[in-house]
Amino acid sequence: MKAIDIDVGGTFTDLVLTWDDQRITAKAPTTPYDLSVGFLDVLTDGAEQMGRSVDELLPEIELVRYSTTVAMNRLIERKGPRLGLLTTEGHEDAILIGRGAQWTDGTRISERRNVAVQNKPAPLITRDMIAGVRERVDSFGTVLRPLDEEDVRRKLRKLVDGGARAIAVSLLWSFVNPAHEKRIREIIREEYKGYHVGYLPVVLSHEVVGKVGEYERTMTAVLDAYLQSSIKAEMEATWDQLREHGYRGSFLLTHNSGGSAEIFKTTASRTYNGGPIAGLMGSFHIGQSLGFKNVIASDVGGTSFDLGMVVDASVRSYEFRPIIDRWMVGISMLQATTMGAGGGSIAWINDLLGGRLEVGPRSAGSYPGPVCYDLGGTEPTTTDADVVLGYISPDGYFNGRMPLNRDKAVQAIETKIAKPLGVSVDEAAALIRRIIEQNMASAIKREVHLRGYHPEDFVLFAFGGGGPTHVAGYGADVPTSVIFPQAPVFSALGSSVMDIMHVYEQSRRILFLNGMTQQLIDDYEAYNAPVREMVAQGRADLLSEGLDPDTAVWTVELDMLYGGQVQVKRVSSPLLEIGSVEDAQAVYDAFEKEYSEAFSPHVVNKPGGAYIEGIVVKATVPTEKLELPVHELGSADPSAARVGSREAYWAETGKRADSPVYAFGQLTPGNRVDGPALVEAEFTTIVVPPGKSLTIDEHGLGLLQDSEHAGDNVPAAALEGASA
């Protein structure tokens, strides 16, 4: 397999180039003004490592996979086009009213506590750009009021005259009967034709979310319309670069559902948070090959700290209230947490809280970046603290291609942090590290404990450029942290082992278990018909991408609950279709088992009956997975990999010490590095503080543990499954 995997982060663009059994990694600064520039830079670097030009490399590449933060960035910047929304008359204010707790959507816990200053998010569509059209369909799909086409044309012209450059259409119960939404699109095409300069993109809500939930469905359509043109422009530039240099294969985008699909089969909202999900899926697949069933995936990048969990060899944990930026949406998204904490996070004094030192969530990004980049940045960041403390070599950063200005970093921390706090520069830099690592550690504890698990039952994968540098501080409650040679580009590595996946969803209210009679469903067609419909759609989509549907793995997941309860649980159905009482019993048993494990056997309410609320079909085309080499363990002595020493400040002792420096690539299986020490890799530095040890295992991976337990086996629960 010859493939290219790209992960575009806020600071760096990462590449993993797979060439049969060889994997080449590269990084380049992200270019926010035009992402295709950074894309071509990192691609050129990877090609040069193979002794080829981009024009020689790309014609032989079979597949390109791309994880992007374009959707996230455009929402943060609010740089989308002016939108218009057509909805059912009388429901024009639905998205402005929102759900009851809309003001908390997408906010941090610390922000929610200060209720007095909370507001709902500024709407992406103002009230004057929302028009209600005369039509009505009921919950059974029956047309109660025919569509008034002249009213549609009149309202449409008003929106366009108001400046609309894209139209979202969301009518009541359109997912049950989409005829009116489809006719509105035809009218828009009649009025504003595709070959005219003023072409209007149109997004229909039933096509992006085919299930119940007016607010969530409408907001998904609005977000898709808002993001579509921005992502299209960014992707077109990248796509053009690929074609110009001879690439003729598929271009896949990473989805927040855990798979990837052709750019032509991807809606904008599904690319949101693609990078963190790629890292999570990489942790899942690579964790499986290592025998780990319970993994905490932690990614410390330049802008954010991303966190995900693999529990009992499964990532099938979806966001209960999926949020994109500040809005709840209706698409299924794997559970991942992102917070503003990374190498570029800015340290600042909060005068409103008595001069307290805080780090983040604001980031210096890639331009101007940290002060030590010497590109015009003036605000001290986490990376500046790492340089000042001696953990990052100013001459070795970014594999020696990006010299850092340590003096400017010292000056910035001294002026803006140390003097106001009345401490030394070293103490101020150590405080910056301590605060950001505590923030990360709190996020891990919160995520693990709130799901009912214990950190000691997991292993921690530390990746991203800053993961190995900070994991000793934020991973204290997890006994073993695993550091990969490809840690700085792990999300791109994760996308290289992700499967191609399409997800289809429909809302269906089906009585599966009668509470009075305890009889299981006998109308099998009520279950099978929507499954067949979604499978047919999936087969058509795979064929259009040049893939064989017969090689796909087809699975069904069900949103189910007991009567008298409101908590819906998504469960994995053991069967694609139901054809007998035994089949129905197998599906119910799977539901009861997962429901009991998630909530408690005591809340199983069979007398209330069991209901299906929604059906999800997944079409998965497996891809080639990473095979990790196995080596014999040798001597514990790491002296052959030592490349020198560097003075570094260690908070554990409160002073500077001449610390040994080792090359990660020269350490061999069995080697053990005891702290204090620094282990340098191509694009990162592993910080081994006093009391910690780094051991190289048989796969060439670094295991960071407490010195007294160094070399111990990974906790059994991480291999066998965690207990709630």
Side-chain angles (χ1 to χ4, degrees):
M1 183 69 173
K2 297 177 175 65
I4 287 172
D5 289 272
I6 300 284
D7 176 43
V8 182
T11 306
F12 289 104
T13 297
D14 302 337
L15 165 80
V16 170
L17 171 57
T18 303
W19 195 269
D20 297 328
D21 58 352
Q22 185 180 6
R23 272 184 167 81
I24 290 172
T25 62
K27 290 176 82 78
T30 295
T31 48
Y33 57 88
D34 185 350
L35 295 181
S36 67
V37 174
F39 173 83
L40 191 59
D41 288 344
V42 77
L43 197 55
T44 301
D45 188 343
E48 287 176 351
Q49 291 185 49
M50 293 199 63
R52 297 168 179 248
S53 68
V54 173
D55 290 332
E56 293 171 332
L57 177 77
L58 282 176
E60 297 189 50
I61 295 295
E62 303 167 45
L63 194 64
V64 173
R65 284 170 287 222
Y66 193 91
S67 304
T68 177
T69 58
V70 174
M72 188 183 303
N73 296 341
R74 292 300 170 267
L75 277 176
I76 291 171
E77 297 163 356
R78 299 293 189 265
K79 288 185 177 178
R82 188 166 170 82
L83 299 181
L85 171 64
L86 290 174
T87 188
T88 302
E89 190 174 58
H91 290 257
E92 296 88 344
D93 296 309
I95 63 169
L96 304 179
I97 296 170
R99 298 291 296 265
Q102 188 193 34
W103 60 272
T104 68
D105 291 345
T107 60
R108 301 190 302 275
I109 292 178
S110 58
E111 294 173 326
R112 296 174 202 169
R113 289 174 181 151
N114 192 358
V115 179
V117 300
Q118 292 302 319
N119 289 301
K120 290 184 178 182
L124 294 177
I125 301 182
T126 54
R127 180 62 181 84
D128 61 309
M129 296 300 291
I130 302 175
V133 297
R134 297 171 185 169
E135 70 85 40
R136 187 63 189 264
V137 173
D138 69 11
S139 60
F140 298 99
T142 304
V143 176
L144 302 179
R145 186 183 192 185
L147 181 67
D148 186 333
E149 296 190 3
E150 284 307 311
D151 182 57
V152 172
R153 294 179 197 274
R154 189 166 54 251
K155 302 284 178 58
L156 176 63
R157 293 189 194 107
K158 181 182 177 183
L159 293 180
V160 174
D161 290 344
R165 292 297 170 262
I167 302 291
V169 183
S170 181
L171 306 179
L172 280 184
W173 302 105
S174 61
F175 63 93
V176 181
N177 181 354
H180 286 178
E181 282 196 355
K182 290 180 176 180
R183 180 54 190 151
I184 288 176
R185 178 165 56 191
E186 292 173 359
I187 292 171
I188 295 173
R189 292 288 174 260
E190 292 169 5
E191 295 286 327
Y192 304 95
K193 301 184 185 302
Y195 51 80
H196 288 163
V197 175
Y199 170 76
L200 279 174
V202 180
V203 177
L204 305 184
S205 69
H206 80 273
E207 291 182 342
V208 293
V209 179
K211 60 183 185 180
V212 71
E214 181 189 1
Y215 170 68
E216 295 93 328
R217 179 165 46 86
T218 303
M219 279 313 309
T220 307
V222 167
L223 285 163
D224 269 317
Y226 188 78
L227 295 169
Q228 188 183 62
S229 60
S230 297
I231 293 181
K232 184 172 180 287
E234 298 283 7
M235 293 297 99
E236 280 178 347
T238 302
W239 185 239
D240 289 344
Q241 292 277 18
L242 287 168
R243 292 296 172 185
E244 286 172 12
H245 291 284
Y247 178 64
R248 295 294 179 265
S250 296
F251 189 39
L252 305 185
L253 295 183
T254 300
H255 288 189
N256 45 32
S257 58
S260 57
E262 267 276 5
I263 184 174
F264 304 109
K265 297 292 181 182
T266 299
T267 57
S269 59
R270 291 197 181 276
T271 69
Y272 190 85
N273 223 27
I277 294 301
L280 173 60
M281 294 307 296
S283 299
F284 166 64
H285 289 297
I286 295 171
Q288 277 194 317
S289 66
L290 292 169
F292 297 144
K293 290 191 174 183
N294 301 310
V295 179
I296 298 170
S298 64
D299 182 355
V300 183
T303 307
S304 63
F305 174 66
D306 303 311
L307 179 65
M309 288 174 60
V310 180
V311 180
D312 291 338
S314 172
V315 291
R316 207 170 47 77
S317 180
Y318 298 95
E319 295 285 0
F320 176 63
R321 300 171 74 247
I323 305 293
I324 290 182
D325 196 87
R326 292 293 311 278
W327 295 278
M328 192 187 304
V329 294
I331 59 176
S332 294
M333 297 169 56
L334 290 182
Q335 200 164 7
T337 300
T338 298
M339 59 183 287
S345 294
I346 293 171
W348 55 290
I349 302 294
N350 191 335
D351 293 324
L352 295 177
L353 294 178
R356 188 173 77 178
L357 175 63
E358 301 204 27
V359 186
R362 289 190 305 123
S363 173
S366 55
Y367 292 102
V371 177
C372 59
Y373 281 15
D374 210 2
L375 296 175
T378 58
E379 303 288 339
T381 66
T382 307
T383 297
D384 292 312
D386 291 333
V387 171
V388 167
L389 293 170
Y391 300 149
I392 294 177
S393 168
D395 300 323
Y397 189 70
F398 202 58
N399 204 24
R401 288 179 287 166
M402 197 171 171
L404 302 179
N405 191 325
R406 183 180 183 276
D407 292 339
K408 284 194 174 181
V410 170
Q411 183 181 359
I413 291 178
E414 182 178 23
T415 304
K416 301 207 170 185
I417 307 297
K419 285 185 176 179
L421 293 179
V423 298
S424 69
V425 172
D426 281 343
E427 289 172 329
L431 275 174
I432 292 172
R433 276 182 58 93
R434 179 183 173 191
I435 288 170
I436 200 163
E437 289 170 356
Q438 283 183 340
N439 290 342
M440 296 173 185
S442 295
I444 290 176
K445 292 175 186 176
R446 186 166 58 247
E447 192 73 10
V448 175
H449 288 306
L450 287 179
R451 290 210 214 172
Y453 301 107
H454 307 287
E456 58 268 23
D457 291 341
F458 289 76
V459 293
L460 177 65
F461 283 8
F463 49 91
T469 307
H470 292 274
V471 68
Y474 71 75
D477 285 353
V478 185
T480 303
S481 299
V482 182
I483 300 169
F484 293 80
Q486 306 92 345
V489 296
F490 191 86
S491 289
L493 180 69
S495 76
S496 75
V497 297
M498 286 177 70
D499 297 324
I500 298 170
M501 182 192 298
H502 289 276
V503 180
Y504 307 92
E505 303 180 61
Q506 285 189 16
S507 282
R508 290 294 173 107
R509 177 75 170 182
I510 301 172
L511 176 61
F512 200 84
L513 173 69
N514 189 306
M516 296 292 291
T517 64
Q518 294 295 290
Q519 295 297 309
L520 291 164
I521 183 175
D522 54 11
D523 181 8
Y524 303 141
E525 198 60 20
Y527 177 98
N528 294 335
V531 171
R532 290 196 198 106
E533 181 183 330
M534 288 184 277
V535 167
Q537 184 181 350
R539 292 183 68 87
D541 286 343
L542 292 176
L543 280 170
S544 70
E545 296 179 24
L547 299 169
D548 184 0
D550 293 330
T551 64
V553 177
W554 299 87
T555 56
V556 173
E557 294 180 358
L558 305 169
D559 291 331
M560 297 185 69
L561 79 165
Y562 284 105
Q565 298 181 0
V566 297
Q567 191 74 310
V568 176
K569 178 73 177 75
R570 179 162 294 184
V571 301
S572 178
S573 171
L575 301 166
L576 195 60
E577 294 188 12
I578 295 177
S580 65
V581 175
E582 290 75 20
D583 290 347
Q585 186 66 51
V587 172
Y588 172 77
D589 290 343
F591 163 59
E592 183 176 304
K593 179 177 182 294
E594 289 199 36
Y595 196 90
S596 300
E597 291 173 350
F599 304 115
S600 168
H602 300 294
V603 297
V604 170
N605 183 30
K606 293 180 73 172
Y611 295 84
I612 293 176
E613 292 281 297
I615 301 175
V616 180
V617 170
K618 290 184 177 180
T620 305
V621 179
T623 58
E624 191 175 329
K625 300 298 182 280
L626 179 68
E627 289 189 15
L628 295 171
V630 179
H631 307 282
E632 288 187 14
L633 297 179
S635 167
D637 181 13
S639 57
R642 182 163 177 172
V643 292
S645 62
R646 187 162 66 244
E647 189 180 76
Y649 179 87
W650 300 99
E652 292 79 3
T653 60
K655 60 184 179 181
R656 285 185 168 268
D658 192 47
S659 307
V661 178
Y662 299 89
F664 191 31
Q666 295 178 27
L667 291 171
T668 58
N671 283 176
R672 169 174 166 168
V673 175
D674 293 319
L678 302 168
V679 181
E680 294 182 337
E682 191 175 12
F683 296 112
T684 189
T685 299
I686 306 169
V687 175
V688 187
K692 295 282 186 179
S693 295
L694 180 74
T695 307
I696 307 301
D697 75 356
E698 65 269 25
H699 303 291
L701 309 180
L703 305 181
L704 189 67
Q705 300 168 308
D706 289 340
S707 294
E708 59 187 286
H709 301 298
D712 289 358
N713 293 327
V714 172
L719 300 170
E720 300 168 0
S723 57

